[in-house]
Amino acid sequence: KRISQGLILGADGKKMSKSAGNGVDPRVMIDAYGADALRMWMSFIGEYSEKATWSEEGLKACHKLITRIWNMQEMISGEGETPELRFAVNQAVKKVTFDIDNAKFNTAVSAIMILVNEIYKVGKLTKDEYKKLLLITSPFAPHVANELYEVAELGTNFEEEKWPTVDESAL
């Protein structure tokens, strides 16, 4: 189906335009926060077909999320499943998969945020769980996900990995 993208408003609540002088230079934002943080924020900013207001604070939050995912490398222990994370990981995979298929990118990113918070509560995760997190994050932060996949030695080729499946019994 065809979906029209929504309008991004400037911080002043008016349509972004050069003449209004309320535009944001993406190169400046990329230099400050990275391309993946900007991509993630543009996905998270609001419902795809609705208008949304630009906020650098939102971009900072996405940068912080990516930093938290990066820092999880230190929390990896073993392989398989962490019993305390079984539900959260499968729920996130199911939600992100559904939301991407239905162009609900903002709630997909929200599901990733919820999973990251849950992982930090538990304080550890396995290589397999980290791989699933990176795979569901990759549509929004592909460069960081690919780099972390290599750094954490999760496999040989990130681009050939299959999308994670949901274990319905965990839900």
Side-chain angles (χ1 to χ4, degrees), residues 156-167:
T156 55
N157 192 340
F158 187 69
E159 289 81 15
E160 292 181 4
E161 284 289 344
K162 296 203 181 316
W163 189 257
T165 57
V166 177
D167 178 358

Side-chain angles (χ1 to χ4, degrees), residues 123-166:
K124 64 180 179 177
L125 76 165
T126 66
K127 278 189 164 193
D128 297 317
E129 292 161 339
Y130 196 49
K131 183 189 286 189
K132 286 180 182 181
L133 172 63
L134 295 179
L135 288 168
I136 65 172
T137 302
S138 67
F140 310 103
H143 304 293
V144 170
N146 194 334
E147 180 71 19
L148 283 169
Y149 180 86
E150 289 180 22
V151 170
E153 299 177 349
L154 299 176
T156 55
N157 192 340
F158 187 69
E159 289 81 15
E160 292 181 4
E161 284 289 344
K162 296 203 181 316
W163 189 257
T165 57
V166 177

Side-chain angles (χ1 to χ4, degrees), residues 82-143:
T82 306
E84 304 92 336
L85 292 175
R86 185 170 187 247
F87 173 79
V89 169
N90 282 284
Q91 183 179 40
V93 170
K94 184 173 185 168
K95 178 77 172 136
V96 171
T97 304
F98 176 84
D99 288 348
I100 288 173
D101 288 345
N102 291 283
K104 296 187 176 296
F105 308 119
N106 57 328
T107 54
V109 173
S110 176
I112 293 167
M113 291 175 173
I114 291 167
L115 176 58
V116 167
N117 288 337
E118 191 61 31
I119 292 168
Y120 270 90
K121 280 183 201 171
V122 172
K124 64 180 179 177
L125 76 165
T126 66
K127 278 189 164 193
D128 297 317
E129 292 161 339
Y130 196 49
K131 183 189 286 189
K132 286 180 182 181
L133 172 63
L134 295 179
L135 288 168
I136 65 172
T137 302
S138 67
F140 310 103
H143 304 293

Side-chain angles (χ1 to χ4, degrees), residues 35-47:
D36 280 352
L38 181 58
R39 181 181 289 109
M40 185 174 277
W41 170 234
M42 293 308 299
S43 297
F44 184 62
I45 198 168
E47 192 71 35

